[in-house]
Amino acid sequence: MNRLQISILFVLGVAMMPFCSRERSQQYSTLADSVKTEFLHSWNAYKEYALGHDALKPLSKTAHDWYAHSLLMTPVDAFDTMVLMGLEKEAAEAKQMVLDSLRFDHDMEVQAFEITIRLLGGLLSGYELDGDRRFLELATDLGNRLLPIFDSPTGMPYRYVNLLTGKIRSSEKRSNPAEIGTLLIEFGTLSKHTENPVYYDRAKKALTELYKRRSDIGLVGTWIDVETGEWISQSSHVGGAIDSYYEYLVKAWLLFGDEECKRMADESLQAVHRYVADTVRSELWYGRVDMHSGERTMRVFGSLEAFFPALLCLAGDVDRAAALQESAFRMWNLHGIEPESIDYNSMKVTGSQYHLRPEIIESAYYLYQYTRNERYREMGKKMFADLVKYCRTEAGYAYLEDVTTGKQADAMESFFLAETLKYFYLLFAPDDVLDFDSVIFNTEAHPVRRPTS
Ligand code: DMJ
């Protein structure tokens, strides 16, 4: 090619640029609209077959409640997604449902972690977005009913509590880092809005008590006795049962400016990079090791671990985040949709289900925010097309029993509306929908305002 041909190509390239980028934003805004359509498809199915219940069962077109009384998981979890999507009618419906019918004075035992991230988080972000103090009143009532979980000899919370009597399930003395350490965003935000420090203090103590029990090489295990503080399982990783402990160390620092959380996060992540990170075929993965020796025990990674690139972005490590996201996307593409877990050495599926999980999409969204590289929106485009292809049903979306066969199963978790579709939407939507830097998302994707905003 001579210099003249190169110059012509350059001029054409420059002339086409605004056109290409206009085309591209049009394409993504159409995708954002499609996500909204799928959200409405799921919400309308919930309304038709499961109104007033916790969740929809999309294949049998029936309802599911977690406990003896519904706690309206789906409307609470979905409300802020509706607000962000500009679905005013649906947001008003969900709000009405929550304010008219949600009560917590039920004589039943609930799992504190799930109730905190879905309901307390949902009510607090609802309050911040909508401004109606009744959201905050519900959140305060719930927070008070959950407080007895912290009454253990160590201050690390018990897992189950009776909402009416405040009695904890004394037979369940074990818990895990995720359930112990994933309370501070919600309890801390409740403290901020009620000006009562008790919620922040109890949740912060739980986090530091857990951190204090890290091994000599700086890692935590999977299960611990909250009464004795002794480890029950020494397996260390960044997957389910540990994952959001690391997430909240970083996020509590960013949200509350808590420097102690930053120190704990920095030291923990260093140990994780040193021992848990693994390189296979030049790909970055995070597997499983013994928390005391750092010896590798398993080369497994899964859909829950896929949140880690998002956290790495927040922690300022975009290179590692980008490398890990490539590995996670490889896992997604093995069978056209990600399995719960794989052996990343053999690339064989070890957990075949896909629970409509959000983590890999959340990471694509963070990476796009940090790099503006269209690669991440293209990933999202592929993943959204796969989601619709495999999981859409006549009534909402179904999780997959087996990603290798595409067999669907009868559940649509509330996090599908709180997280999965929210992150897809935010990945494709124009920036003015939400200023990424002005919020911290709790682990259920409920945005909480950062103080500087
Ligand atoms: C959600 O409830 C939260 O994201 C939690 O931290 C982990 N699992 C689910 C979604 O996969």
Side-chain angles (χ1 to χ4, degrees):
M1 200 181 299
N2 63 33
R3 284 166 70 97
L4 177 68
Q5 285 169 317
I6 292 173
S7 306
I8 292 170
L9 278 178
F10 178 75
V11 170
L12 275 175
V14 171
M16 291 290 287
M17 249 163 53
F19 175 72
C20 290
S21 88
R22 251 202 327 272
E23 283 279 276
R24 236 195 338 253
S25 31
Q26 185 50 50
Q27 189 207 126
Y28 289 125
S29 130
T30 307
L31 269 169
D33 286 343
S34 307
V35 177
K36 226 195 263 196
T37 305
E38 295 315 303
F39 180 94
L40 282 174
H41 172 68
S42 308
W43 172 249
N44 288 334
Y46 165 82
K47 276 198 318 186
E48 185 165 357
Y49 302 110
L51 191 69
H53 293 276
D54 283 331
L56 166 73
K57 293 171 84 174
L59 300 185
S60 58
K61 299 181 178 165
T62 55
H64 165 68
D65 286 317
W66 287 37
Y67 308 108
H69 300 271
S70 165
L71 294 172
L72 294 175
M73 298 279 185
T74 295
V76 177
D77 240 359
F79 175 73
D80 57 18
T81 309
M82 294 164 176
V83 174
L84 293 176
M85 287 181 172
L87 297 169
E88 287 170 20
K89 178 170 98 40
E90 288 72 19
E93 281 165 8
K95 176 177 170 180
Q96 200 62 44
M97 230 181 268
V98 170
L99 296 182
D100 284 353
S101 323
L102 185 57
R103 357 186 311 240
F104 298 117
D105 54 347
H106 298 300
D107 189 3
M108 64 190 194
E109 236 178 30
V110 300
Q111 190 181 357
F113 163 78
E114 295 289 354
I115 296 300
T116 299
I117 66 171
R118 299 187 198 217
L119 298 185
L120 193 53
L123 290 168
L124 288 165
S125 81
Y127 170 61
E128 289 195 354
L129 284 168
D130 181 87
D132 191 321
R133 281 196 73 83
R134 288 174 295 174
F135 281 116
L136 181 60
E137 280 157 21
L138 279 166
T140 311
D141 181 33
L142 178 57
N144 289 335
R145 290 174 191 279
L146 292 174
L147 277 179
I149 59 173
F150 297 108
D151 294 338
S152 75
T154 62
M156 291 191 286
Y158 292 101
R159 298 179 70 205
Y160 296 94
V161 62
N162 184 302
L163 284 179
L164 185 70
T165 63
K167 199 169 170 313
I168 51 99
R169 187 189 291 178
S170 50
S171 59
E172 182 74 359
K173 300 184 188 350
R174 335 174 293 164
S175 190
N176 54 68
E179 295 193 47
I180 293 167
T182 314
L183 304 163
L184 188 51
I185 291 182
E186 299 80 1
F187 279 74
T189 303
L190 187 57
S191 277
K192 176 178 143 188
H193 290 305
T194 55
E195 296 179 11
N196 179 353
V198 67
Y199 311 107
Y200 189 96
D201 292 347
R202 303 299 299 270
K204 172 78 188 289
K205 178 164 164 62
L207 197 59
T208 46
E209 287 297 322
L210 179 69
Y211 175 76
K212 275 192 341 211
R213 288 167 173 85
R214 71 197 181 284
S215 69
D216 291 344
I217 60 170
L219 295 175
V220 294
T222 309
W223 289 97
I224 192 166
D225 186 315
V226 300
E227 293 193 344
T228 64
E230 298 294 324
W231 288 101
I232 300 165
S233 155
Q234 282 76 22
S235 177
S236 197
H237 49 84
V238 298
I242 299 184
D243 46 9
S244 43
Y245 160 62
Y246 294 125
E247 181 182 344
Y248 273 34
L249 285 177
V250 174
K251 289 182 173 177
W253 158 51
L254 294 170
L255 183 61
F256 303 115
D258 189 321
E259 290 296 325
E260 194 185 1
C261 288
K262 176 169 169 45
R263 274 196 304 281
M264 295 194 285
D266 287 347
E267 196 185 317
S268 301
L269 289 178
Q270 254 176 40
V272 167
H273 296 321
R274 176 147 179 216
Y275 297 104
V276 182
D278 196 8
T279 305
V280 173
R281 298 172 300 267
S282 320
E283 299 152 10
L284 179 64
W285 297 92
Y286 283 73
R288 293 188 178 219
V289 300
D290 179 274
M291 67 178 276
H292 297 293
S293 66
E295 259 169 51
R296 188 149 308 280
T297 50
M298 279 171 109
R299 291 205 145 91
V300 290
F301 184 90
S303 50
L304 287 167
E305 279 88 346
F307 87 104
F308 207 56
L311 180 64
L312 290 174
C313 286
L314 275 183
D317 200 342
V318 178
D319 289 346
R320 269 205 188 91
L324 185 59
Q325 180 71 359
E326 292 301 328
S327 302
F329 192 50
R330 226 180 137 222
M331 169 177 77
W332 179 283
N333 285 317
L334 276 179
H335 295 281
I337 205 152
E338 68 179 6
E340 187 72 352
S341 62
I342 59 165
D343 175 326
Y344 55 78
N345 206 25
S346 62
M347 293 305 275
K348 293 269 182 307
V349 171
T350 52
S352 64
Q353 299 182 335
Y354 172 62
H355 287 276
L356 300 171
R357 290 199 192 282
E359 286 78 2
I360 191 171
I361 303 136
E362 171 186 4
S363 287
Y365 169 58
Y366 276 66
L367 273 158
Y368 181 67
Q369 288 297 325
Y370 276 80
T371 64
R372 294 286 154 182
N373 186 337
E374 294 296 343
R375 163 99 183 124
Y376 301 111
R377 281 175 139 184
E378 286 301 306
M379 278 184 184
K381 184 173 157 188
K382 162 82 171 60
M383 293 191 283
F384 182 62
D386 292 338
L387 177 82
V388 176
K389 177 168 160 198
Y390 292 108
C391 302
R392 194 178 204 276
T393 72
E394 209 175 74
Y397 274 68
Y399 83 91
L400 298 185
E401 188 57 56
D402 188 340
V403 296
T404 66
T405 61
K407 186 173 184 293
Q408 294 182 332
D410 200 12
M412 183 180 85
E413 284 268 8
S414 63
F415 61 65
F416 179 62
L417 299 184
E419 297 190 73
T420 312
L421 292 179
K422 182 186 285 144
Y423 285 128
F424 267 128
Y425 180 73
L426 292 174
L427 176 62
F428 301 135
D431 279 341
D432 56 8
V433 165
L434 177 73
D435 173 14
F436 177 79
D437 295 320
S438 68
V439 297
I440 288 293
F441 292 95
N442 87 336
T443 196
E444 189 77 0
H446 295 304
V448 181
R449 262 203 311 271
R450 289 174 77 165
T452 46
S453 62

